[in-house]
Amino acid sequence: MKLYLAADASLELIRYLRSVNGNDGLGGSTTRGRTLKDAISSMHEIEELDSTAQLWLDHVSRPVHAFVGDRSKETRTQQLVTRVFSQDVPYGAFLNLGHGVCICAPSFTFMLLAKTLDTARLLQIGMELCGTYSLYHLAPAFRPGLPHPDFDERGNYTYDLPPAMNAQLISGFLERMKGYDGVHNATRDARWLLNGAASHMEAATYLLLCLPRRLGGYGLPKPLLNPLIKVSNPDGVKERYPDLFWPGPNIDVEYNSDAEHSGEWARYRDSRREVELTVASVRVLPLTRPQLMDVDSFDAFAQGLRRMLGIRSRTPDEGWAFRRANLRRALLLNE
């Protein structure tokens, strides 16, 4: 018997597994069954799972939401809510982690969440899954399994991780999912996903700058996120990864936050990197957290970047300021 976690519970477990120490990542095997005949449907069955499964489930909110294959097995209690997955299970939808636990694969999680989430929230999650960071709120009573060495307790995220999803491949996955719930919204929004964001604030900066005006963004061209650039200096050739990089005009927006770039050494390291990029004919635009969080300061920054990119300014329609406020609220409210 296996527990097939629903999308919201799967996202929680994906975040946890990406954020714990060791090789506890998403190395599960793809399930091949087209139905969920072996689905767990009661807390008694969950309690019979081994200690590893129990540890994982400690990091899933209650009630646990899971899928079953038969309507007669649907249940709703304070600890467990099951609902039937009535369509054939598509290949690649679930990952079997072992220990009796299956999760929705990251792309499938993104698709299912598109049924209920608005575009801004869905893209936040999609950028995280395609990025090298994972949002994870450390539980007060953290059980065995220490946080990843790159866990930032102040920022509640882990960085320098392998991505869980590929923005360039998700369109092919969604094409195979035609007819399934959530695929329309997911396909509509997936076009804005990019690989390589190193933090949730980098992702928010990209979305604010580049989402179209109808969604509250500034409609700027998509950059590359943290691409590899080789720069030469007297010490030799070094590899640098500009945060948001527009090739051609060679513009790099470097996001600097108090938490992620603090201390004298970190400031020196950042300034040295900016100098090295400038010498390599890259125009570096530092963006601070106060600039990002202040709507007028960020507006001035975005308009300046627009001019540097050679993009003609358009007079916004009457509703754009309202849409911009909603987008900022969705992306920055909890920061």
Side-chain angles (χ1 to χ4, degrees), residues 133-136 150-152 155-159 198-200 260:
Y133 66 98
S134 180
L135 298 178
Y136 175 64
D150 291 327
F151 176 70
D152 184 322
N156 280 315
Y157 74 98
T158 309
Y159 52 92
S199 74
H200 56 302
E260 293 148 21

Side-chain angles (χ1 to χ4, degrees), residues 4 31-39 68-69 85-90 94:
Y4 291 87
T31 59
R32 296 181 177 274
R34 297 186 64 83
T35 62
L36 303 182
K37 291 182 179 179
D38 59 345
V68 292
F85 192 92
S86 57
Q87 298 169 291
D88 285 346
V89 178
F94 290 96

Side-chain angles (χ1 to χ4, degrees), residues 13-231:
L13 195 48
I14 287 170
R15 284 172 164 168
Y16 168 69
L17 291 175
R18 293 182 76 201
S19 297
V20 295
N21 191 22
N23 298 316
D24 295 341
L26 308 182
S29 59
T30 301
T31 59
R32 296 181 177 274
R34 297 186 64 83
T35 62
L36 303 182
K37 291 182 179 179
D38 59 345
I40 284 175
S41 59
S42 70
M43 279 304 300
H44 174 71
E45 292 171 309
I46 290 177
E47 289 166 356
E48 291 183 341
L49 296 175
D50 67 20
S51 59
T52 297
Q54 301 302 334
L55 171 61
W56 291 346
L57 294 176
D58 278 347
H59 300 276
V60 174
S61 298
R62 296 298 188 269
V64 174
H65 287 256
F67 289 122
V68 292
D70 190 313
R71 197 166 298 280
S72 65
K73 295 184 177 180
E74 287 188 319
T75 186
R76 179 178 293 272
T77 69
Q78 292 184 336
Q79 294 297 312
L80 177 66
V81 173
T82 62
R83 55 185 183 274
V84 67
F85 192 92
S86 57
Q87 298 169 291
D88 285 346
V89 178
Y91 178 76
F94 290 96
L95 293 179
N96 183 354
L97 300 179
H99 305 277
V101 178
C102 297
I103 60 172
C104 297
S107 295
F108 195 51
T109 298
F110 179 82
M111 188 191 86
L112 294 179
L113 291 175
K115 293 191 296 183
T116 56
L117 297 182
D118 61 28
T119 293
R121 181 67 183 125
L122 182 65
L123 287 177
Q124 275 187 311
I125 293 170
M127 290 295 293
E128 176 188 347
L129 295 174
C130 293
T132 59
Y133 66 98
S134 180
L135 298 178
Y136 175 64
H137 293 269
L138 188 64
F142 192 79
R143 289 186 54 177
L146 294 175
H148 190 281
D150 291 327
F151 176 70
D152 184 322
E153 188 169 357
R154 197 173 151 192
N156 280 315
Y157 74 98
T158 309
Y159 52 92
D160 287 344
L161 300 172
M165 191 169 78
N166 190 315
Q168 297 173 335
L169 299 180
I170 191 171
S171 60
F173 174 83
L174 295 174
E175 181 69 23
R176 293 194 291 110
M177 296 297 112
K178 282 188 175 179
Y180 284 84
D181 292 341
V183 69
H184 174 77
N185 290 352
T187 302
R188 177 197 65 199
D189 294 339
R191 70 187 74 178
W192 303 110
L193 293 177
L194 290 181
N195 293 324
S199 74
H200 56 302
M201 294 301 275
E202 271 188 21
T205 300
Y206 153 65
L207 294 172
L208 289 170
L209 289 172
C210 300
L211 285 181
R213 287 179 175 270
R214 61 183 172 81
L215 296 176
Y218 286 85
L220 299 184
K222 293 179 182 178
L224 301 176
L225 299 181
N226 296 285
L228 169 62
I229 292 181
K230 294 185 178 181
V231 299

Side-chain angles (χ1 to χ4, degrees), residues 212-274:
R213 287 179 175 270
R214 61 183 172 81
L215 296 176
Y218 286 85
L220 299 184
K222 293 179 182 178
L224 301 176
L225 299 181
N226 296 285
L228 169 62
I229 292 181
K230 294 185 178 181
V231 299
S232 298
N233 59 35
D235 298 331
V237 177
K238 293 190 175 182
E239 296 181 347
R240 293 291 176 257
Y241 298 86
D243 291 350
L244 283 74
F245 182 67
W246 283 263
N250 280 8
I251 296 172
D252 167 30
V253 169
E254 287 286 317
Y255 175 71
N256 299 314
S257 78
D258 296 337
E260 293 148 21
H261 298 265
S262 59
E264 291 299 324
W265 169 247
R267 282 191 288 272
Y268 167 76
R269 182 183 58 204
D270 290 342
S271 64
R272 182 175 180 179
R273 182 172 69 165
E274 290 176 13

